[in-house]
mmCIF file of all heavy atoms in Angstrom:
data_model
loop_
_atom_site.group_PDB
_atom_site.id
_atom_site.type_symbol
_atom_site.label_atom_id
_atom_site.label_comp_id
_atom_site.label_asym_id
_atom_site.label_seq_id
_atom_site.Cartn_x
_atom_site.Cartn_y
_atom_site.Cartn_z
ATOM 1 N N LEU A 34 6.007 31.565 34.664
ATOM 2 C CA LEU A 34 7.039 32.586 34.548
ATOM 3 C C LEU A 34 6.449 33.929 34.486
ATOM 4 O O LEU A 34 5.300 34.061 34.202
ATOM 5 C CB LEU A 34 7.816 32.293 33.197
ATOM 6 C CG LEU A 34 8.639 30.993 33.091
ATOM 7 C CD1 LEU A 34 9.162 30.878 31.576
ATOM 8 C CD2 LEU A 34 9.687 30.874 34.018
ATOM 9 N N THR A 35 7.232 34.869 34.854
ATOM 10 C CA THR A 35 6.673 36.229 34.788
ATOM 11 C C THR A 35 6.513 36.591 33.357
ATOM 12 O O THR A 35 7.194 36.033 32.411
ATOM 13 C CB THR A 35 7.664 37.256 35.623
ATOM 14 O OG1 THR A 35 8.863 37.280 34.779
ATOM 15 C CG2 THR A 35 7.726 36.880 36.944
ATOM 16 N N PRO A 36 5.694 37.614 33.014
ATOM 17 C CA PRO A 36 5.461 38.026 31.659
ATOM 18 C C PRO A 36 6.876 38.351 30.904
ATOM 19 O O PRO A 36 7.091 38.078 29.681
ATOM 20 C CB PRO A 36 4.630 39.270 31.667
ATOM 21 C CG PRO A 36 3.835 38.999 32.944
ATOM 22 C CD PRO A 36 4.776 38.344 33.861
ATOM 23 N N SER A 37 7.815 38.987 31.521
ATOM 24 C CA SER A 37 9.073 39.338 30.952
ATOM 25 C C SER A 37 9.942 37.989 30.759
ATOM 26 O O SER A 37 10.720 38.026 29.850
ATOM 27 C CB SER A 37 9.855 40.252 31.850
ATOM 28 O OG SER A 37 10.267 39.805 33.064
ATOM 29 N N GLU A 38 9.742 36.967 31.484
ATOM 30 C CA GLU A 38 10.493 35.694 31.243
ATOM 31 C C GLU A 38 9.812 34.753 30.294
ATOM 32 O O GLU A 38 10.499 33.958 29.797
ATOM 33 C CB GLU A 38 10.630 34.991 32.617
ATOM 34 C CG GLU A 38 11.339 35.672 33.745
ATOM 35 C CD GLU A 38 11.257 34.978 35.026
ATOM 36 O OE1 GLU A 38 10.150 34.424 35.465
ATOM 37 O OE2 GLU A 38 12.348 34.926 35.723
ATOM 38 N N TYR A 39 8.559 34.980 30.045
ATOM 39 C CA TYR A 39 7.822 34.045 29.229
ATOM 40 C C TYR A 39 8.025 34.304 27.755
ATOM 41 O O TYR A 39 7.912 35.484 27.287
ATOM 42 C CB TYR A 39 6.341 34.187 29.577
ATOM 43 C CG TYR A 39 5.641 32.877 29.196
ATOM 44 C CD1 TYR A 39 5.503 31.992 30.319
ATOM 45 C CD2 TYR A 39 5.016 32.618 28.010
ATOM 46 C CE1 TYR A 39 4.803 30.781 30.163
ATOM 47 C CE2 TYR A 39 4.325 31.459 27.880
ATOM 48 C CZ TYR A 39 4.173 30.552 28.847
ATOM 49 O OH TYR A 39 3.613 29.343 28.657
ATOM 50 N N PRO A 40 8.425 33.227 27.001
ATOM 51 C CA PRO A 40 8.605 33.442 25.541
ATOM 52 C C PRO A 40 7.217 33.480 24.871
ATOM 53 O O PRO A 40 6.502 32.582 25.020
ATOM 54 C CB PRO A 40 9.359 32.168 25.127
ATOM 55 C CG PRO A 40 9.082 31.114 26.177
ATOM 56 C CD PRO A 40 8.821 31.933 27.379
ATOM 57 N N GLY A 41 6.957 34.467 24.245
ATOM 58 C CA GLY A 41 5.649 34.652 23.582
ATOM 59 C C GLY A 41 4.615 35.264 24.539
ATOM 60 O O GLY A 41 5.091 35.924 25.494
ATOM 61 N N SER A 42 3.397 34.814 24.561
ATOM 62 C CA SER A 42 2.382 35.397 25.420
ATOM 63 C C SER A 42 2.219 34.338 26.607
ATOM 64 O O SER A 42 2.169 33.101 26.399
ATOM 65 C CB SER A 42 1.101 35.690 24.732
ATOM 66 O OG SER A 42 0.597 34.511 24.142
ATOM 67 N N ALA A 43 1.958 34.870 27.753
ATOM 68 C CA ALA A 43 1.698 34.086 28.991
ATOM 69 C C ALA A 43 0.389 33.445 28.907
ATOM 70 O O ALA A 43 -0.523 33.934 28.163
ATOM 71 C CB ALA A 43 1.870 34.848 30.242
ATOM 72 N N PRO A 44 0.219 32.226 29.307
ATOM 73 C CA PRO A 44 -1.088 31.605 29.360
ATOM 74 C C PRO A 44 -2.124 32.394 30.117
ATOM 75 O O PRO A 44 -1.910 33.107 31.025
ATOM 76 C CB PRO A 44 -0.878 30.274 30.099
ATOM 77 C CG PRO A 44 0.588 30.134 30.454
ATOM 78 C CD PRO A 44 1.115 31.466 30.198
ATOM 79 N N PRO A 83 3.454 25.749 29.318
ATOM 80 C CA PRO A 83 4.776 25.097 29.151
ATOM 81 C C PRO A 83 5.842 25.291 30.328
ATOM 82 O O PRO A 83 6.918 24.716 30.449
ATOM 83 C CB PRO A 83 5.298 25.619 27.805
ATOM 84 C CG PRO A 83 4.515 26.789 27.595
ATOM 85 C CD PRO A 83 3.198 26.659 28.331
ATOM 86 N N SER A 84 5.570 26.289 31.206
ATOM 87 C CA SER A 84 6.539 26.580 32.258
ATOM 88 C C SER A 84 6.198 25.861 33.610
ATOM 89 O O SER A 84 6.789 26.075 34.525
ATOM 90 C CB SER A 84 6.643 28.050 32.431
ATOM 91 O OG SER A 84 5.428 28.597 32.971
#
Side-chain angles (χ1 to χ4, degrees):
L34 298 173
T35 65
S37 64
E38 297 172 319
Y39 208 87
S42 59
S84 64

